[in-house]
Amino acid sequence: MKKSLLLLALTLVCNLSFAQIDNQLKIENYTIPDEIEIIVESEITEEMKKVGTVFAKAKGVTTIAAINNVNNRALRKLKTEASMRGGSHILVTQETQENTVFSKTSAYSAIIYRSNQSNVNEIKELLESKEFSYRFERKYNRNKFDHKDKLFNQLLNQPLQKNQLNPPYVKNGKIILEIMEFIGNRNRLIKYEVIANSDSQILLFKEEIPGKEMKMIILEKVK
């Protein structure tokens, strides 16, 4: 797929919606939030790898908020985090709802599973043979109303230098990529987990505050 062309076209559009962004991320081993499947325990297969756990909660803005809307928002948040962590399926372990005149609240806990996985050698070859730059960033905070997306203009964004990227490696079953980034007033080596890739993009995940704040970024091949 011509991912570069699709994402480049997005730079001409303002106020992009959740769906508009996700429709451009059709990478083979990445699952967008809308396509995350909710399964039962009997549907877990040997090919599925347990990624971790996820929690999401939504509350009605007013006491007259529809509980269905609150519940759908909680599910969307649950699937957004599962997707960012590289999941493809979730097993809901706990669901609670409060629907009274005083509170409209919905909360979910779930286990994330992944049915596909990037290959560390393939990532190494990509980074050695091509130049990449930052293309997209998604930030999510469990305590906020929704996620935030940001697109980078490749024409203005400088490619990452070879000395900014350490060779990827596997640790605890995860592919780790370290990038030297300028944060604050100094360079820092930041560790990301590779969650998916194509021949032109690499999706990375980082938990900034455990169990609370996280982000997913896309590195895209420079033309």
Side-chain angles (χ1 to χ4, degrees), residues 44-212:
I44 299 172
T45 67
E46 293 182 357
E47 289 75 26
M48 291 182 182
K49 176 184 176 182
K50 184 177 178 180
V51 175
T53 58
V54 60
F55 172 80
K57 181 179 182 180
K59 190 173 184 178
V61 178
T62 67
T63 56
I64 61 172
I67 189 63
N68 282 346
N69 292 339
V70 175
N71 187 60
N72 288 338
R73 183 153 49 87
L75 280 172
R76 186 181 68 202
K77 292 174 69 174
L78 192 79
K79 291 183 177 183
T80 295
E81 181 175 339
S83 172
M84 291 175 67
R85 291 180 179 274
S88 56
H89 300 77
I90 51 176
L91 172 67
V92 175
T93 55
Q94 186 174 4
E95 175 185 355
T96 59
Q97 285 187 359
E98 186 177 357
N99 184 18
T100 69
V101 294
F102 303 106
S103 176
K104 309 286 184 178
T105 305
S106 184
Y108 288 89
S109 295
I111 300 173
I112 308 170
Y113 289 91
R114 175 187 294 158
S115 60
N116 39 53
Q117 177 73 43
S118 293
N119 182 283
V120 67
N121 292 324
E122 185 176 320
I123 302 299
K124 286 180 181 179
E125 291 177 6
L126 276 174
L127 293 171
E128 289 172 357
S129 61
K130 299 177 176 65
E131 284 189 317
F132 286 84
S133 66
Y134 294 108
R135 190 67 185 92
F136 171 76
E137 177 185 83
R138 169 166 289 166
K139 287 190 173 183
Y140 173 69
N141 184 319
R142 285 182 179 178
N143 297 335
K144 301 295 184 181
F145 189 86
D146 210 341
H147 69 282
K148 292 184 178 180
D149 290 342
K150 178 181 179 182
L151 283 166
F152 297 91
N153 189 324
Q154 264 200 327
L155 299 178
L156 303 176
N157 204 24
Q158 293 296 318
L160 289 165
Q161 302 300 309
K162 292 295 183 181
N163 60 5
Q164 287 183 262
L165 298 164
N166 284 348
Y169 60 91
V170 177
K171 183 177 181 180
N172 298 326
K174 299 177 180 180
I175 301 175
I176 306 300
L177 177 62
E178 298 175 339
I179 304 178
M180 187 67 72
E181 297 179 343
F182 189 75
I183 300 175
N185 58 359
R186 63 189 181 91
N187 288 321
R188 298 182 183 180
L189 195 62
I190 307 299
K191 294 182 180 180
Y192 291 95
E193 177 188 355
V194 177
I195 61 170
N197 72 281
S198 67
D199 59 353
S200 61
Q201 294 179 335
I202 302 174
L203 275 67
L204 306 173
F205 172 80
K206 181 179 183 295
E207 196 166 16
E208 307 217 88
I209 300 178
K212 182 180 178 182

Side-chain angles (χ1 to χ4, degrees), residues 22-26 30-36 79 83 87:
D22 287 331
N23 285 338
Q24 312 308 314
L25 304 180
K26 297 292 185 179
Y30 170 71
T31 305
I32 64 174
D34 284 347
E35 295 178 1
I36 295 286
K79 291 183 177 183
S83 172

